[in-house]
């Protein structure tokens, strides 16, 4: 990509297409100290108050800078590389990290080690990149005292509080309001599908693990749904079009939201999976359409529960797992409470936490 000039007009040439850059688009990006706060990168002027008839009087290219005199008297020196980052109209940080599909053959994923100054380190940057690639990371040697999971979460961003609290204890207890608080095995599922919006990221911190069972299980919903699309496009299509109702009822709250089991973005690419068959209610549809839907949902469930896609591992005390609740399904194997204690703490954060931290560290280490 390069910037070109012709009769006081500025063009960008990608090699495939050549387009004029609107003068106003350039004018609202002036970044001299009288126009932009260097700390916050917020404008010191309101572009909506400018005349819509902004024109370029003169323009020249001086090494890596575009120098422009506008017709309202403003002179600007714009970094061409910085401008180029905006031409794709896409997130060049997060979306540039490729999702790596995986199944039960996944192995040799790096575990990260907690240490002093961990949250602002290059290691944290590498951790977040790995998280976006695989949908989960495991960090070892996390302190287990004083509900440290909250400090960990807030050092990345901010805890997403729910009706379960700022954090929650995952252990077997009497009269549970969720099957997570039993010793039963849990099939692959996503958390909180009944919320609007669904919490994006879940953290689980192992405090005690004295049982032989209770293995953590993970399934990559991205891999499964992409495989379903290849196997049976009709199944994939109906699961990505029909919205079902998810509902949770507790003594103090009733939560409800509608969504597809496979949610796509505006470009029809993978965005999110929601799956919790104990909580979903399919709407009334034509019998023929429901026949197809139920067959599709059953096939999706079979794939989620297949050994082909599941990995199993045991979290040890001081291990913390961070997983993408929009991408991964998680569960656990059953365990026997008479053997000893199994105690994990959990909490949620949202994508703005990991995205903001990743961008900050990329800037800090000039990556």
């Amino acid at each position: 990509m390069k910037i070109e000039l012709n009769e006081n007009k500025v063009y960008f040439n990608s090699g495939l297409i050549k387009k004029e850059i609107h003068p106003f688009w350039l004018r609202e990006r002036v970044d001299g100290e009288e126009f932009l706060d260097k700390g916050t990168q917020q404008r010191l002027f309101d572009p909506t108050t400018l005349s819509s008839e902004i024109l370029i009087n003169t323009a020249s290219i001086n090494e890596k800078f575009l120098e422009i005199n506008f017709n309202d008297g403003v002179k600007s020196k714009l970094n061409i590389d910085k401008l180029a980052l905006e031409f794709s109209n896409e997130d060049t940080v997060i979306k540039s990290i490729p999702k790596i599909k995986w199944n039960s053959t996944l192995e040799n994923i790096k575990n990260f080690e907690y240490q002093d100054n961990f949250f602002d380190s290059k290691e944290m940057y590498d951790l977040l990149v790995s998280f976006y690639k695989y949908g989960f990371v495991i960090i070892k040697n996390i302190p287990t005292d004083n509900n440290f999971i909250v400090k960990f979460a807030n050092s990345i961003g901010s805890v997403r509080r729910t009706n379960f609290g700022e954090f929650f204890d995952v252990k077997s207890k009497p009269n549970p309001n969720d099957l997570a608080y039993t010793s039963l095995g849990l099939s692959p599922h996503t958390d909180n599908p009944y919320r609007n919006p669904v919490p994006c990221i879940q953290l689980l911190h192992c405090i005690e693990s004295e049982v032989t069972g209770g293995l953590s299980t993970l399934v990559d919903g991205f891999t499964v749904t992409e495989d379903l699309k290849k196997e049976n496009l009709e199944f994939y299509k109906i699961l990505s079009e029909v919205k079902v109702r998810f509902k949770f009822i507790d003594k103090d709250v009733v939560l409800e939201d509608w969504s597809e089991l496979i949610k796509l973005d505006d470009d029809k690419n993978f965005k999110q999976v929601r799956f919790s068959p104990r909580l979903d209610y399919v709407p009334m549809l034509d019998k023929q359409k429901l026949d197809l839907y139920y067959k599709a949902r059953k096939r999706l469930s079979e794939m989620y529960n297949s050994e082909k896609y599941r990995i199993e591992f045991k979290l040890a005390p001081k291990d913390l797992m961070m997983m993408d609740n929009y991408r991964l399904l998680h569960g656990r194997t059953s365990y026997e409470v008479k053997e000893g204690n199994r105690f994990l703490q959990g909490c949620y954060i949202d994508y703005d936490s990991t995205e903001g931290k990743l961008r900050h560290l990329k800037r800090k280490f000039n990556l």
Side-chain angles (χ1 to χ4, degrees):
M1 192 285 303
K2 61 180 180 178
I3 295 288
E4 297 179 355
L5 304 179
N6 186 5
E7 296 182 350
N8 294 331
K9 294 181 179 180
V10 182
Y11 298 84
F12 77 87
N13 190 334
S14 68
L16 297 175
I17 58 172
K18 179 178 178 180
K19 287 186 178 181
E20 182 184 358
I21 304 175
H22 198 293
F24 199 101
W25 190 92
L26 293 165
R27 173 62 177 83
E28 65 181 5
R29 281 162 176 75
V30 297
D31 56 4
E33 61 180 16
E34 68 270 41
F35 300 111
L36 193 74
D37 181 82
K38 297 304 181 184
T40 65
Q41 293 293 294
Q42 294 178 5
R43 293 188 184 104
L44 298 174
F45 66 98
D46 179 354
T48 65
T49 64
L50 301 179
S51 168
S52 59
E53 301 301 322
I54 291 291
L55 299 173
I56 296 173
N57 286 339
T58 62
S60 61
I61 295 174
N62 186 1
E63 295 182 344
K64 291 186 177 182
F65 292 93
L66 174 63
E67 298 181 356
I68 301 177
N69 292 333
F70 293 98
N71 65 339
D72 64 352
V74 169
K75 297 180 180 180
S76 183
K77 187 177 181 180
L78 299 171
N79 186 295
I80 292 175
D81 291 338
K82 185 177 177 181
L83 289 176
L85 294 175
E86 297 196 57
F87 292 158
S88 66
N89 295 325
E90 291 183 357
D91 179 354
T92 58
V93 177
I94 308 303
K95 287 189 177 180
S96 66
I97 303 172
K99 284 185 175 68
I100 296 177
K101 293 170 60 178
W102 56 264
N103 56 27
S104 61
T105 63
L106 180 67
E107 56 184 18
N108 298 325
I109 295 298
K110 177 184 177 181
N111 289 328
F112 294 85
E113 188 85 13
Y114 176 77
Q115 54 194 320
D116 290 341
N117 304 314
F118 183 68
F119 299 111
D120 231 26
S121 66
K122 174 65 165 51
E123 186 83 347
M124 174 58 76
Y125 174 83
D126 294 339
L127 181 156
L128 292 172
V129 170
S130 185
F131 169 77
Y132 278 100
K133 285 182 177 179
Y134 296 98
F136 76 100
V137 290
I138 295 175
I139 309 100
K140 293 188 168 293
N141 201 33
I142 300 291
T144 56
D145 56 340
N146 301 321
N147 308 317
F148 193 86
I149 188 172
V150 175
K151 179 178 179 181
F152 185 96
N154 284 331
S155 296
I156 297 176
S158 300
V159 169
R160 163 82 178 273
R161 180 183 286 271
T162 70
N163 61 297
F164 296 111
E166 185 178 32
F167 66 95
F168 46 92
D169 294 336
V170 183
K171 60 173 68 175
S172 181
K173 62 184 179 182
N175 303 316
N177 63 347
D178 193 284
L179 291 178
Y181 308 128
T182 70
S183 61
L184 298 173
L186 298 177
S187 57
H189 64 281
T190 59
D191 266 17
N192 292 248
Y194 41 77
R195 293 189 187 279
N196 181 20
V198 172
C200 304
I201 299 165
Q202 181 175 9
L203 281 64
L204 279 176
H205 185 199
C206 183
I207 310 300
E208 295 179 281
S209 181
E210 301 169 346
V211 296
T212 53
L215 276 67
S216 297
T217 65
L218 292 178
V219 174
D220 185 5
F222 173 57
T223 298
V224 170
T225 55
E226 289 294 293
D227 284 0
L228 178 66
K229 180 164 58 173
K230 294 177 183 177
E231 174 188 300
N232 193 317
L233 185 58
E234 195 175 23
F235 282 1
Y236 179 87
K237 190 170 185 292
I238 195 167
L239 293 176
S240 63
E241 291 177 349
V242 173
K243 292 185 178 183
V244 301
R245 176 168 55 94
F246 292 95
K247 192 169 187 176
F248 174 85
I249 301 174
D250 202 358
K251 62 178 183 178
D252 297 321
V253 67
V254 177
L255 298 168
E256 180 177 307
D257 194 34
W258 291 76
S259 177
E260 309 86 347
L261 297 191
I262 305 171
K263 192 172 184 66
L264 307 179
D265 63 18
D266 293 338
D267 297 319
K268 301 300 181 182
N269 295 320
F270 176 91
K271 183 176 183 179
Q272 179 186 4
V273 291
R274 294 198 206 191
F275 194 75
S276 189
R278 299 176 188 272
L279 298 169
D280 70 343
Y281 298 86
V282 184
M284 178 63 73
L285 303 171
D286 292 341
K287 183 177 182 298
Q288 186 177 8
K289 194 169 186 178
L290 276 178
D291 282 343
L292 176 62
Y293 185 88
Y294 287 135
K295 289 176 183 177
R297 186 179 66 174
K298 181 176 178 61
R299 179 56 186 148
L300 181 65
S301 179
E302 289 171 348
M303 294 174 75
Y304 282 154
N305 284 277
S306 168
E307 291 183 1
K308 176 182 177 180
Y309 295 103
R310 183 178 65 248
I311 60 172
E312 293 185 354
F313 51 91
K314 194 173 188 64
L315 289 174
K318 294 189 176 183
D319 285 355
L320 186 147
M321 176 169 61
M322 185 169 79
M323 54 189 169
D324 187 340
N325 191 46
Y326 278 36
R327 173 177 173 179
L328 298 193
L329 296 88
H330 65 282
R332 68 153 184 259
T333 63
S334 63
Y335 64 95
E336 177 53 64
V337 292
K338 294 179 181 178
E339 287 186 348
N341 294 327
R342 182 183 187 273
F343 174 25
L344 283 71
Q345 288 187 318
C347 72
Y348 301 106
I349 57 177
D350 286 325
Y351 286 139
D352 58 351
S353 296
T354 50
E355 290 175 3
K357 190 72 170 180
L358 182 60
R359 289 190 180 97
H360 159 67
L361 293 174
K362 183 178 178 68
R363 175 185 61 183
K364 176 180 178 179
F365 295 109
N366 196 28
L367 299 171

